[in-house]
Amino acid sequence: MKAIVQDAYGSPDVLQLSDIEQPVPGEDEVLVRVHAAGVDPGVWHLMTGLPYLTRLFGFGLTRPKNRIRGRDVAGVVEEVGAKVTGFRPGDAVLGTCEGSFAEYVCAKQDKIAPKPSALSFEQTAVVPISATTALQGLRNSGKVQAGEKVLVIGAGGGVGLFAVQLAKAFGAEVTGVCSTSKVELVRQAGAGHVIDHTKEDFTAGTERFDLILDTAGNRPLRQLRKALTPRGRLVIVGGEGGGRWLGGFQRGMGAPLHSLFRSQKFSGLIAVERRDDLEAVSALIDAGKVKPVIDRTFLLPEAPDAIRYAHEGRVRGKVVVTVVSAG
């Protein structure tokens, strides 16, 4: 089969389209014929090996442990392992795995779920990581409640657009923060108010929010506190920028310390991929309450360009790779 592989950490130039052996599913895995694969920020980190903290999580100290890039996947089950229940060949699925920039990939049964019937495979492929991260940030870490005021920073990005729609579905009053070019997109996603961060500093205003979900940026936590209600919650999602060791993740890691002896609660989110959340998001999609937004689509041989484009920071929503399967 064809796959995008790498044997060393580096820029997208280290990625190559190669012919490799088709994987064989384990007892609790399914073999998926990949139709499309999403491009999330984690792909860049795993490709470059930066920040170095990434390598300490078991992805390979000196070179990638898994040669194939890509984690979001949408496709059709080809084969199931001996201990797999609930899936059979021919089922259309979405989920996460290691190595989705390939014609075939193995995925654990607890990391996949039935594909939303309302979506194409390309639309489905950008859902798993970004949508479930937004869900866990709002519901699990943020404890969002109907009627609350929610601020989504980075509302025009992959996680941000899902967060805007999910917060609205939960009955919250949503304000999105984004750049000028994404204002209308965020408004169409359901934000009742949109702040252009190039023209307005929301921390300098008088409005206070019950929950802030920060999906993009490096604002100091002490600055974000000003925009919270006395018992407001701040959830930091991921991290960009910063040095080669921590790469911006230090904000989320240190967030709980800012909650000590204060009524406001700060936390950093480490999303956990699980089938239940995929099913919850899929139900909202089929109900018409959530819809993925795709900026651009690339073919499998163009995956390096897709990763490069996604990393530029100007993406409106998500980037997807369409995989041309063999046979």
Side-chain angles (χ1 to χ4, degrees), residues 113-227:
K115 168 186 168 295
S117 59
L119 301 183
S120 67
F121 280 106
E122 283 76 15
Q123 290 174 309
T124 300
V126 303
V127 170
I129 292 176
S130 292
T132 59
T133 296
L135 176 67
Q136 292 175 26
L138 291 167
R139 184 194 62 190
N140 300 25
S141 298
K143 311 295 184 186
V144 65
Q145 299 294 320
E148 290 189 321
K149 290 186 176 181
V150 174
L151 181 75
V152 179
I153 303 174
V159 175
L161 279 171
F162 280 117
V164 168
Q165 296 176 77
L166 288 168
K168 183 179 179 181
F170 291 146
E173 180 183 334
V174 187
T175 298
V177 179
C178 61
S179 59
T180 306
S181 64
K182 302 177 183 180
V183 167
E184 187 56 34
L185 177 65
V186 173
R187 185 174 289 113
Q188 291 174 356
H193 311 279
V194 183
I195 297 172
D196 182 344
H197 70 76
T198 68
K199 300 178 180 179
E200 182 181 349
D201 179 6
F202 64 87
T203 65
T206 58
E207 187 163 13
R208 299 292 179 264
F209 300 91
D210 301 294
L211 171 61
I212 297 177
L213 189 73
D214 188 353
T215 76
N218 51 14
R219 293 175 180 81
L221 301 186
R222 64 179 180 277
Q223 184 179 4
L224 292 173
R225 178 181 292 119
K226 299 176 183 178

Side-chain angles (χ1 to χ4, degrees), residues 8 13 21 58 68 86 93 95 144 167 170 172 179 199 227-228 233 237 241 246 259 269 275-276 310 313 323:
D13 295 333
E21 291 293 323
I68 311 173
V93 298
V144 65
F170 291 146
S179 59
K199 300 178 180 179
L228 284 173
R233 293 92 65 201
V237 179
L246 298 179
S259 299
L269 175 67
R275 182 176 175 180
D276 288 350
V323 180

Side-chain angles (χ1 to χ4, degrees), residues 38-51 54 69-72 101 126 129-131 133 157-160 215-216 237-241 247 249 306-313 315 317-319:
V39 182
D40 72 286
V43 173
W44 179 272
H45 294 303
L46 295 180
M47 179 188 71
T48 61
L50 295 174
T54 304
R69 292 282 61 81
R71 302 196 66 243
D72 277 322
F101 293 168
V126 303
I129 292 176
S130 292
T133 296
V159 175
T215 76
V237 179
E240 300 298 330
F249 285 95
I307 297 172
R308 188 178 287 110
Y309 177 71
H311 187 65
E312 291 176 355
V315 175
K318 298 283 294 183
V319 174

Side-chain angles (χ1 to χ4, degrees), residues 45 49-61 243-250 253:
H45 294 303
L50 295 174
Y52 293 131
L53 179 66
T54 304
R55 308 188 190 194
L56 299 179
F57 288 157
F59 292 103
L61 289 177
R244 296 175 68 84
W245 281 98
L246 298 179
F249 285 95
Q250 65 271 19
M253 295 166 62

